């Protein structure tokens, strides 16, 4: 079974621009979560989607948004990029997304904001 | 104070050593406890999963949860150079559906 696929692997953007990251979950997984990983803050939860509905959102500004499509694929968008948005963005999928459900992570998209 | 505390290391051990990695937490609602391993330039990979208190063993890995002390551990026996990675503890509570991670401990196993 193919794992979680994230595209692109690397992105360089300028402050003020917006960016869209893509995630394809493991086949059959209906829940997709997004996490931000930085050296200073570690891994932080962004949001979780199940059947195209956002069920939970972390403590991030409204510039961070996401969506899930009917085939469970997901995208996240960051608008008006700031230098502090430079991070590794990780997508994870699980069968149900319920608490305690094991998450399977992709290898992430490395975003650099200059 | 962070909900989950983890010593960042680095922790350097000789090949064959027993490694002990630990996390403490403050949220008594946490019921699900996991350990992930992350190699450089890769995403985290689930190693161990424990529900509530107790021990779980899988090959060279043993996970322990002590909810009374709010303390979890991961033991690696007969450590190998291929175990060199960052180890992250993660926790969740019922209904939250969002993992809270420790900051990760970088482990180096010297051949």
């Amino acid at each position: 079974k193919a794992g979680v696929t994230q595209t692109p692997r690397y992105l360089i953007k300028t402050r003020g621009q917006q960016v869209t990251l893509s995630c394809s979950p493991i086949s059959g997984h209906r829940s997709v979560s997004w996490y931000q990983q930085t050296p200073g803050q570690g891994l932080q939860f962004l949001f979780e989607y199940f059947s195209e509905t956002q069920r939970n959102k972390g403590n991030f500004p409204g510039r961070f948004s996401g969506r899930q499509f009917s085939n469970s694929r997901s995208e996240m968008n960051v608008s008006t990029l700031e230098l502090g948005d430079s991070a590794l963005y990780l997508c994870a999928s699980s069968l149900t997304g319920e608490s305690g459900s094991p998450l399977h992570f992709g290898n992430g998209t490395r975003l650099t904001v200059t | 104070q962070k909900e989950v505390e983890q010593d960042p290391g680095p922790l350097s051990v000789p090949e064959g050593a027993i490694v002990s990695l630990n996390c403490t937490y403050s949220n008594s609602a946490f019921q699900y406890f996991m350990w992930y391993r992350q190699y450089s330039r890769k995403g985290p990979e689930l190693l161990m999963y424990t529900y509530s208190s107790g021990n779980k063993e899988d090959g060279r890995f043993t996970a322990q949860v002590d909810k009374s002390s709010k303390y979890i551990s991961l033991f690696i026996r007969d450590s190998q150079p291929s175990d060199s990675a960052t180890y992250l503890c993660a926790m969740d509570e019922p209904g939250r559906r969002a993992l809270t991670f420790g900051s990760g401990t970088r482990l180096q196993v010297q051949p």
Side-chain angles (χ1 to χ4, degrees), chain A residues 54-101:
Chain A
Q54 184 184 94
R55 295 194 297 187
N56 196 4
K57 189 177 193 303
N59 189 25
F60 279 83
R63 300 184 297 105
F64 291 81
S65 63
R67 59 178 176 168
Q68 186 182 33
F69 303 95
S70 58
N71 61 0
S72 294
R73 195 176 66 83
S74 177
E75 289 180 348
M76 68 162 281
N77 185 276
V78 188
S79 63
T80 319
L81 284 166
E82 300 177 0
L83 294 179
D85 297 333
S86 294
L88 180 66
Y89 290 88
L90 291 159
C91 169
S93 74
S94 70
L95 274 171
T96 65
E98 291 304 319
S99 297
S101 182

Side-chain angles (χ1 to χ4, degrees), chain A residues 35-64:
Chain A
Y35 288 79
Q36 181 196 64
Q37 186 173 30
T38 60
Q41 298 298 318
L43 270 150
Q44 293 185 289
F45 172 74
L46 280 158
F47 24 67
E48 188 261 349
Y49 287 88
F50 181 84
S51 291
E52 302 178 67
T53 300
Q54 184 184 94
R55 295 194 297 187
N56 196 4
K57 189 177 193 303
N59 189 25
F60 279 83
R63 300 184 297 105
F64 291 81

Side-chain angles (χ1 to χ4, degrees), chain B residues 14-35:
Chain B
E15 184 176 352
I18 296 175
V19 176
S20 172
L21 304 167
N22 311 293
C23 288
T24 59
Y25 63 94
S26 57
N27 184 353
S28 57
F30 285 143
Q31 294 280 355
Y32 309 97
F33 303 93
M34 299 158 211
W35 285 95

Side-chain angles (χ1 to χ4, degrees), chain B residues 8 10 17 24 27 31 39 44 50 57 69 74-75 77 81 86-87 99:
Chain B
T24 59
N27 184 353
Q31 294 280 355
Y39 291 112
T50 310
E57 188 172 321
S69 301
L74 176 71
F75 297 95
R77 291 181 298 279
T86 296
Y87 289 80
L99 292 181

Side-chain angles (χ1 to χ4, degrees), chain A residues 35 37 56 99-100 103 106-107, chain B residues 38 43 49 93 95-97 99:
Chain A
Y35 288 79
Q37 186 173 30
N56 196 4
S99 297
L103 295 186
N107 288 326
Chain B
Q38 186 174 23
Y49 166 85
E93 58 183 275
R96 187 176 175 190
R97 304 189 200 95
L99 292 181

